[in-house]
Amino acid sequence: MSTELADIEHVPETWTRDHLLDLESLTKEEITLILDTAVSFKHATDGCRRKVATLSGCTCANLFFENSTRTRASFSLAARRLGADTLEFSASGSSLSKGETFIDTARNIQAMNVDAMTVRHQTPGTPHLLAQQLECSVINAGDGPHEHPTQGLLDILTIREHREEIAGLTVALVGDIAHSRTARSNIWGLMKLGARVIVCGPSTLVSPQWQELGVEVAHDLDAILPRCDVLNLLRIQFERQFTRPFPSVREYALLYAMNRDRMSRAKDDILIMAPGPINRGVEITPDVADGPQSVILDQVTNGLAVRMAVLWLLCGKRK
Ligand code: NCD
């Protein structure tokens, strides 16, 4: 396991990226550097409680065109923990409603001397487009169903904290794989670090094509459960679906919800994860969500550390 304390005084020369757009294009070494830097920030700040003013004088903007609780709050807090100023933008209440284009809005925000712009948007590729148009660093905080790289990183960091090695672990992503950006970022990150990844859910939400990425496709949670070291329970993304993928939520829960009965048939040390927001009684029952194997709130804390690491690597390199 690589949990070397990374240097948080100087951005290493091995970090050459200007943006964080996805995990698909990162190398195993780059992913490991971000995770090690996140661990260093956790150490240096008493678990992200205290400030380190390594980015004082920088400005980090958050542009959110979709709802968010954890991601937005932790990007904002991470920037402030690093001593940076923050600028919050929400589509509602902005001049977009007066006809300004998305790119013009982003350029105007950049003109307020912004060093890093974190963007969440319903359209896949939006952060990639911004990265071509802007001078500042762009961070993808979720582009439609495509990727959510910092979610993938915080999930992997959480697993790494509880296990010796990512390599060799069997991690199942359960639920709405078709519409989940968390699934894609987890798949790329976990596979690069050597984990075996299973995607599991109803056939309407998990197509056989996923095998082309090198993951195992399963539709029967009970059959794969005894082999799993980690379960990441993904929300059903009703807002991205045009037709109902299963007859009822009750039927989905019967087949795929992680509950007490399934816990009794899982490995004793299985890790139960979820990116949040969780729908209690749908993908997970309350006793499992709040139970001893759940690391769901650790994921949230690690989100702060990962976002500090990402902002520091990108803005620190510019400094
Ligand atoms: C996820 C998202 O928005 O992609 N949540 C998050 O960022 N923590 C997952 C979801 O909405 O289900």
Side-chain angles (χ1 to χ4, degrees):
M1 175 171 58
S2 177
T3 46
E4 299 275 308
L5 285 190
D7 182 1
I8 54 168
E9 300 291 321
H10 308 98
V11 172
E13 282 173 12
T14 48
W15 180 258
T16 57
R17 303 271 172 176
D18 291 322
H19 312 285
L20 179 69
L21 303 176
D22 49 50
L23 293 192
E24 180 178 0
S25 61
L26 291 198
T27 63
K28 174 183 175 182
E29 289 70 29
E30 287 170 322
I31 292 173
T32 304
L33 174 62
I34 299 173
L35 299 178
D36 293 342
T37 306
V39 172
S40 294
F41 275 117
K42 274 186 98 168
H43 280 265
T45 59
D46 186 22
C48 302
R49 285 179 186 84
R50 289 190 295 105
K51 271 192 174 186
V52 274
T54 44
L55 288 187
S56 68
C58 289
T59 303
C60 300
N62 289 322
L63 271 72
F64 278 66
F65 294 83
E66 278 190 347
N67 295 342
S68 174
T69 301
R70 285 147 285 267
T71 307
R72 182 174 198 146
S74 65
F75 264 112
S76 190
L77 195 53
R80 281 180 275 129
R81 288 280 193 270
L82 293 167
D85 291 322
T86 54
L87 192 163
E88 301 291 338
F89 171 89
S90 297
S92 64
S94 76
S95 287
L96 281 168
S97 64
K98 300 180 191 170
E100 185 171 67
T101 68
F102 170 70
I103 296 291
D104 279 335
T105 300
R107 283 208 185 107
N108 277 269
I109 288 181
Q110 175 179 250
M112 297 179 208
N113 300 320
V114 160
D115 300 280
M117 198 178 286
T118 297
V119 62
R120 169 172 285 190
H121 200 280
Q122 56 278 14
T123 308
T126 300
H128 305 69
L129 176 70
L130 276 189
Q132 289 166 7
Q133 299 282 331
L134 303 179
E135 302 296 321
C136 67
S137 291
V138 176
I139 301 164
N140 182 0
D143 57 333
H146 175 226
E147 276 223 40
H148 189 353
T150 54
Q151 183 68 46
L153 291 164
L154 74 90
D155 290 344
I156 296 169
L157 179 60
T158 307
I159 299 172
R160 211 177 74 162
E161 277 182 350
H162 288 85
R163 292 289 182 273
E164 283 294 298
E165 279 277 353
I166 296 291
L169 290 179
T170 298
V171 181
L173 307 168
V174 182
D176 187 353
I177 308 300
H179 303 98
S180 172
R181 50 198 179 203
T182 297
R184 278 170 188 74
S185 291
N186 265 268
I187 288 170
W188 290 117
L190 286 166
M191 292 210 343
K192 281 172 202 237
L193 298 188
R196 177 176 186 82
V197 180
I198 308 176
V199 289
C200 179
S203 55
T204 44
L205 294 174
V206 187
S207 97
Q209 280 178 333
W210 286 98
Q211 288 171 41
E212 289 168 21
L213 297 185
V215 304
E216 180 182 335
V217 169
H219 304 298
D220 184 347
L221 177 58
D222 294 308
I224 62 158
L225 191 55
R227 288 195 280 136
C228 295
D229 298 297
V230 180
L231 282 191
N232 200 341
L233 301 159
L234 307 178
R235 188 176 63 85
I236 304 299
Q237 313 253 315
F238 290 110
E239 72 275 23
R240 299 194 201 285
Q241 298 165 3
F242 297 110
T243 53
R244 264 194 174 268
F246 38 74
S248 70
V249 167
R250 191 169 161 271
E251 180 165 349
Y252 177 84
L254 273 175
L255 294 172
Y256 296 105
M258 201 54 195
N259 55 29
R260 190 175 314 177
D261 175 48
R262 291 202 166 95
M263 282 303 281
S264 70
R265 286 180 277 120
K267 287 188 181 179
D268 288 343
D269 61 352
I270 192 168
L271 293 182
I272 299 295
M273 304 177 68
I278 57 170
N279 285 159
R280 291 171 182 260
V282 182
E283 70 272 14
I284 190 166
T285 55
D287 51 332
V288 177
D290 304 326
Q293 297 312 121
S294 168
V295 292
I296 294 172
L297 293 179
D298 295 356
Q299 290 172 258
V300 179
T301 308
N302 283 334
L304 198 47
V306 158
R307 286 159 185 143
M308 286 176 81
V310 168
L311 290 172
W312 155 240
L313 287 168
L314 295 174
C315 297
K317 176 173 171 270
R318 286 174 178 274
K319 268 186 149 186

